[in-house]
Amino acid sequence: MPIRAAITAVHGYVPPDVLTNAELARMVDTTDAWITERTGIKERHILKGEGLGSSHMGAQAVAGLLAKTETDPGEIDLLICATTTPDFVHPCTANLICDMVGIRNIGSFDIQAACSGFIYALTTAHQFIAGGTYKKVVVVGADKMSAIVDYTDRATCVLFGDGAGAVLLEPNSDGYGIIDTMLRSDGSGAKYLHQKAGGSRMPPTDETVAKRMHYVHQEGASVYKFAVAGMAEATTELMARNNLRPDMIDWVVPHQANRRIIETTAERLGLPIDKVMFTIQKYGNTTTATIPLSLWDYETKLKKGDRLLLAAFGGGFTWGGAFVTWAYDGATASKLNGNAPASKLVKSSWL
Ligand SMILES: CC(C)(COP(=O)(O)OP(=O)(O)OC[C@H]1O[C@@H](n2cnc3c(N)ncnc32)[C@H](O)[C@@H]1OP(=O)(O)O)[C@@H](O)C(=O)NCCC(=O)NCCS
């Protein structure tokens, strides 16, 4: 059996503040009924607090992961953070997370592939482990979307939330773990989903701020069409390549952007909806965190040997998926209720 990267633990973090549809209806011209019907979202969590960025949530998720697996930070060989909302342009968020949880002297870096970032990071981590030298790799998806969402744009602000999720990957030679992955991108899709200002092409100025160019710009209906096609391509290609019939799939773990996109994906695959993980109703679209947060939420239902199909679509455009054989019984894994003790985190003192 080849060496595969197996997910051996998962943990998540969502900040305590909740933004409900009813509250959004007081901020923009929308209703709970519209948001629920068009997206499936009822509420989302928002990170509040001065000086707190994506690294704060990522560090909480990673600290919880280390605590629940009784892993010493010194045992981790590599940490990859997928994020679209890094704390800073540099240093990268992975470096900050390592510092906050006490992981020292290892490689750590960010991956930016918008909502597909977790799939890209998982695929990258898999290569390090399959190469034979890396034994414990952490992949964390963390996004503070509330930092780049325009809360006067009703078509966009209802969709997103903040959160983080992390997985521990370890080598497995018994047939469990990441069996296959696929990644795709098409940069011509940038016009439909992007943030114009704040990067090197258009550094922030008074004008870019006044024109609200440092917020997510999305043409929702166009993105919707591409998302349905991308999710279908990722899942059907992985199923065909691995000779999987619908009845052989135990769980689909889709990126949570819109309930209707997920339902269409399941329909096209011929899969009953009860085999699909849904967390969008309570977290919204947390970008890179949706897939690990879903795994965390459903962890107790996952059984060793379950076949999972992960799929995501996002800005770029980017899309992709992973076929994973689950490596442990989630019901017997110690699921930490709540979050890791904050005292375990180091606060950056230089800001
Ligand atoms: C954003 C999204 C929910 C909008 O749903 P939709 O059914 O496509 O709606 P449309 O954009 O066609 O707009 C329909 C109408 O609803 C209105 N509308 C948009 N947002 C609204 C809101 N929050 N409340 C009430 N009405 C709203 C529009 O203004 C439009 O009104 P009009 O017909 O008078 O012009 C949907 O397009 C979507 O989910 N797109 C994909 C987003 C995505 O996946 N993004 C992340 C990729 S990872």
Side-chain angles (χ1 to χ4, degrees):
M1 282 279 185
I3 302 173
R4 296 192 164 106
I7 296 173
T8 54
V10 55
H11 199 68
Y13 175 83
V14 286
D17 281 291
V18 173
L19 179 60
T20 64
N21 288 351
E23 285 168 282
L24 275 168
R26 289 196 284 277
M27 295 158 63
V28 289
D29 182 14
T30 191
T31 59
D32 172 46
W34 193 96
I35 302 170
T36 306
E37 189 195 318
R38 298 292 182 112
T39 72
I41 302 167
K42 296 299 286 184
E43 59 186 34
R44 67 289 289 144
H45 291 249
I46 301 293
L47 180 63
K48 292 186 178 166
E50 207 178 321
L52 299 181
S54 297
S55 69
H56 172 78
M57 297 182 292
Q60 296 276 359
V62 174
L65 188 73
L66 298 180
K68 86 192 272 192
T69 54
E70 298 180 340
T71 303
D72 186 88
E75 294 175 54
I76 302 300
D77 298 316
L78 179 75
L79 184 142
I80 306 175
C81 177
T83 184
T84 308
T85 50
D87 288 34
F88 308 110
V89 173
H90 65 90
C92 74
T93 305
N95 299 164
L96 302 173
I97 292 173
C98 285
D99 184 47
M100 290 159 91
V101 302
I103 297 175
R104 315 245 173 258
N105 295 323
I106 59 152
S108 69
F109 57 90
D110 285 4
I111 281 190
Q112 215 280 42
C115 291
S116 310
F118 185 78
I119 296 289
Y120 271 68
L122 198 67
T123 303
T124 306
H126 175 61
Q127 314 306 319
F128 280 91
I129 288 185
T133 44
Y134 288 75
K135 304 295 180 210
K136 285 184 195 282
V137 177
V138 171
V139 171
V140 51
D143 267 302
K144 182 184 171 185
M145 293 305 290
S146 62
I148 59 167
V149 162
D150 182 350
Y151 285 97
T152 65
D153 173 4
R154 69 175 181 172
T156 306
C157 72
V158 300
L159 301 173
F160 294 99
D162 301 337
V167 296
L168 180 63
L169 293 165
E170 296 181 80
N172 186 294
S173 305
D174 299 326
Y176 299 99
I178 297 168
I179 312 291
D180 194 9
T181 61
M182 68 89 96
L183 303 176
R184 296 283 184 276
S185 71
D186 176 0
S188 69
K191 58 179 173 286
Y192 302 111
L193 181 53
H194 59 261
Q195 183 184 324
K196 263 199 189 71
S200 59
R201 193 182 285 203
M202 205 180 280
T205 61
D206 287 350
E207 191 194 355
T208 63
V209 173
K211 289 185 173 166
R212 311 183 82 76
M213 293 162 85
H214 53 294
Y215 290 125
V216 174
H217 166 87
Q218 175 171 267
E219 292 171 31
S222 302
V223 175
Y224 189 97
K225 274 186 263 161
F226 284 107
V228 166
M231 295 286 280
E233 185 189 341
T235 46
T236 51
E237 185 169 324
L238 281 170
M239 284 177 71
R241 273 194 339 213
N242 294 282
N243 301 314
L244 294 167
R245 294 184 314 269
D247 61 291
M248 295 162 79
I249 302 292
D250 296 291
W251 291 102
V252 178
V253 194
H255 170 54
Q256 311 275 313
N258 185 314
R259 189 176 171 99
R260 290 183 294 143
I261 295 175
I262 301 172
E263 285 169 350
T264 307
T265 304
E267 249 170 56
R268 289 194 177 183
L269 293 178
L271 272 164
I273 210 73
D274 60 359
K275 285 192 171 186
V276 181
M277 294 189 184
F278 281 102
T279 50
I280 190 165
Q281 66 283 0
K282 53 182 180 173
Y283 302 143
N285 181 351
T286 53
T287 302
T288 60
T290 62
I291 290 177
L293 276 176
S294 295
L295 292 173
W296 182 51
D297 252 55
Y298 281 73
E299 186 187 25
T300 54
K301 295 190 174 154
L302 290 169
K303 293 190 287 296
K304 188 171 180 176
D306 276 356
R307 295 191 189 94
L308 275 60
L309 213 47
L310 282 50
F313 182 90
F317 292 129
T318 54
W319 63 105
F323 169 43
V324 173
T325 306
W326 197 249
Y328 66 96
D329 285 318
T332 53
S334 67
K335 181 165 178 165
L336 274 188
N337 290 320
N339 299 303
S343 60
K344 289 214 163 188
L345 301 181
V346 176
K347 276 220 160 130
S348 305
S349 55
W350 56 273
L351 277 171

